Amino acid sequence: MTTHFSDRISDVPRSFIREILKVAIDPAVISFAGGLPNRDFFPVAALQEATHRVFETAGKEALQYANSEGDIVLREMIAQRYRQKKGLEVKVENILITSGSQQGLDLMGKILLNEGDPVAIEEPGYLGAIQAFSVYRARFHPVPVSEEGMDTEALAKMLKKEKPKLLYVVPNFQNPSGITYPDANRDEVAGVLQGSDTLLIEDDPYGELRFTGKHQRSFAQRLPEQTVMLGSFSKVVAPGLRIGWIVAPDAIMDKLIVAKQATDLHTQYFGQRILRQFFLENDLDTHIATILKVYDRQRLAMLRSMEAYFPKEVKCTRPEGGMFLWMTLPQGLSAMSLFHRAIEEKVAFVPGDPFYTHRKEVNTLRLNFSCVDETGIDTGMARLGAAVKKELL
Amino acid sequence: MTTHFSDRISDVPRSFIREILKVAIDPAVISFAGGLPNRDFFPVAALQEATHRVFETAGKEALQYANSEGDIVLREMIAQRYRQKKGLEVKVENILITSGSQQGLDLMGKILLNEGDPVAIEEPGYLGAIQAFSVYRARFHPVPVSEEGMDTEALAKMLKKEKPKLLYVVPNFQNPSGITYPDANRDEVAGVLQGSDTLLIEDDPYGELRFTGKHQRSFAQRLPEQTVMLGSFSKVVAPGLRIGWIVAPDAIMDKLIVAKQATDLHTQYFGQRILRQFFLENDLDTHIATILKVYDRQRLAMLRSMEAYFPKEVKCTRPEGGMFLWMTLPQGLSAMSLFHRAIEEKVAFVPGDPFYTHRKEVNTLRLNFSCVDETGIDTGMARLGAAVKKELL
């Protein structure tokens, strides 16, 4: 028989990262290519304790089907944290628990996008969002971002011309670039959006991973009726549970719940109960402080080795948090070409290409600093610096 | 601002069951409305043991991101069970772990369906499939099923005329009707499909819950290249983990993996490791035998009380397994109208309406027998019988 696939699935870029990581599987390769939190700092013992308690007190319940919105107590805890950490008032009814925040993207695409609908996205932008919205055949309109935040002139121009249905941003320690939008830039972005029919999706998986500098206020505080927030426990607790959430205004939440049911009925309840118990028994801030200390040391090690081993023409972002640096090679160099040379030198990274919707053969690349210790970073960066120098010859 | 939703989301029927269950929340109501396995027979202690071992031996790994296909050992275990139980040879590469088998439906819709594509479905059919395919704007073509299986004459006629992209079936102890396609009927269905471009989705969440009668061979044995199988641990272990799987031919699996990544990256890995450990340490057949004994007693209690309390004109399926009976009221009666009367009598069920894509105000209804004990079944059925008699007046 001949299988005729949907048009939409042919539009979805294969995960380049996935393909590339196959090359990097050699244990001698030091990999800055991953996007993983460091597993050495998962709260394994505390989660084990919490899980034990769930089995003892609510085993049958935790293993049964549950409602589509998610556990009410866990949602209350999320609301409380928004209140404490961001001064944001979020109602429990406006929170939906998702199977990781990647699912938040899928659900938003599902309820909003018709074929060919315009979607504005950061350039460079999060690969997972490009994939998720491609499924719904979005027409992408990239808006440049840098350490100054989003290019609001480009945004205003594009918004006027294209009237995108949504603008997707990761304003804190962005994936892939590590940049954060300063408060003043957020004010400008909000000013441009205000009064338009463009919905803002503010994805914030890394916001709690700030090593230095000052917390910048959420878009939800500026455009409460126009902002959908995505959140995740993957970077602050553990990703293997695949538990994230969406915060959305009433009308949108209503549709999200219908879509959630049709998609997977509900997010695994057992993991929700474990997290809820974990938060009852542990102070998340204390745990996060441990992660911050390590990641910050590794970030600094990476920046130091940049200066030590790389030609001056190579530029790099200086993120105040998160897990990534973004490197820009001199004009004319190709990150893809560097990648192949780097693999020979036994070091890996992600070439910038998959983070662009409209550019190829770029000279930018993503470096992850959360998963390699300081010695490894020094060795790996020395190798990468050597590879860059060879490319420049 | 005005939010413009996608066309697709307005096509998705809200879960009627969900709405209806709100009415049945009164603890005095005996509910045959649920579709849940009986939580009293979840293997809580064994899962607790297995979870403990996962924490002790692989805590960090189990809590990290994982690959999109799913845990390789768990997939090997699934392949082995197909071999042992069904004599089916399934390759590990053709198994994808999903977030419950509902997600299998979403992914299949995603990779196959363009707007308006014809989809053949059983009448009555599984509500979750109707919802999942509605998201992708399927045009449904129902094919009647009964205790004789699928109406192959209707199937052949429809297939010729509509050339559906897929045919979705639950051939063992179907939800909602409880019916099973006899082997001879399966041969006929396969004969009709053979040579066509219609893909068969064989969803089998209840297949292992056979109380009596003989196992009927899978469609995958008849149409190996044309069949996609969906499976689930929800009914034989526990649904709260939300772990199911898809078995698909190579070309389809390739697309499914792309779709899976874009949808939620991967199914929660922690739960996959728990299940894998559980299967290492326990004999699933022994556990299933316990469930079977209880469900069978409850099924027989329901059939007995049908005869005791209901007018002769009321008909009912006599399933050999699963969790549901399907009742047909005399012509002219409405299951919806009976529902309201039943609630007054403190008993609930699901009216047949949401299981049809093209009919309303039907005289059929679904009764669940897995969640109420024999005494409760007797009392509830007496109430329901009384309600039916009042409706007949």
Side-chain angles (χ1 to χ4, degrees), chain A residues 181-195:
Chain A
Y181 298 18
D183 259 329
N185 178 257
R186 293 176 194 221
D187 287 341
E188 286 176 38
V189 171
V192 173
L193 285 176
Q194 185 112 50

Side-chain angles (χ1 to χ4, degrees), chain A residues 6 18 63 69 111 240 261, chain B residues 6 18 63 69 111 240 261:
Chain A
S6 64
R18 194 185 145 88
L63 291 165
E69 292 88 340
I111 68 160
Q261 285 186 318
Chain B
S6 63
R18 195 183 144 91
L63 291 164
E69 292 89 338
I111 67 160
Q261 284 185 319

Side-chain angles (χ1 to χ4, degrees), chain A residues 129-202:
Chain A
I130 297 173
Q131 288 184 307
F133 298 143
S134 293
V135 167
Y136 301 104
R137 312 201 78 191
R139 205 157 24 90
F140 289 107
H141 297 284
V143 186
V145 292
S146 69
E147 287 187 287
E148 280 84 58
M150 181 163 270
D151 179 339
T152 46
E153 216 167 292
L155 174 68
K157 213 172 122 185
M158 186 274 299
L159 212 75
K160 204 171 154 188
K161 188 166 162 227
E162 306 291 347
K163 303 199 187 332
K165 226 167 189 178
L166 57 90
L167 167 61
Y168 172 79
V169 297
V170 185
N172 293 316
F173 324 125
Q174 195 229 20
N175 183 356
S177 72
I179 63 121
T180 293
Y181 298 18
D183 259 329
N185 178 257
R186 293 176 194 221
D187 287 341
E188 286 176 38
V189 171
V192 173
L193 285 176
Q194 185 112 50
S196 77
D197 282 349
T198 300
L199 192 72
L200 184 83
I201 301 185
E202 182 176 38

Side-chain angles (χ1 to χ4, degrees), chain A residues 4 6-8 18 37 48 56 63-65 69 106 110-111 113-114 165 235 240 261 268-269, chain B residues 4 6-8 18 37 48 56 63-65 69 106 110-111 113-114 165 235 240 261 269:
Chain A
H4 300 280
S6 64
D7 297 330
R8 81 176 66 78
R18 194 185 145 88
Q48 182 166 13
E56 294 296 314
L63 291 165
Q64 185 57 290
Y65 282 111
E69 292 88 340
D106 178 62
K110 213 168 238 171
I111 68 160
L113 300 180
N114 286 324
K165 226 167 189 178
K235 310 306 185 291
Q261 285 186 318
Q268 59 130 339
Y269 190 52
Chain B
H4 300 280
S6 63
D7 297 330
R8 83 175 67 78
R18 195 183 144 91
Q48 182 166 12
E56 294 295 314
L63 291 164
Q64 185 58 289
Y65 283 109
E69 292 89 338
D106 178 62
K110 213 168 239 167
I111 67 160
L113 300 180
N114 287 323
K165 226 166 188 179
K235 310 306 185 291
Q261 284 185 319
Y269 190 50

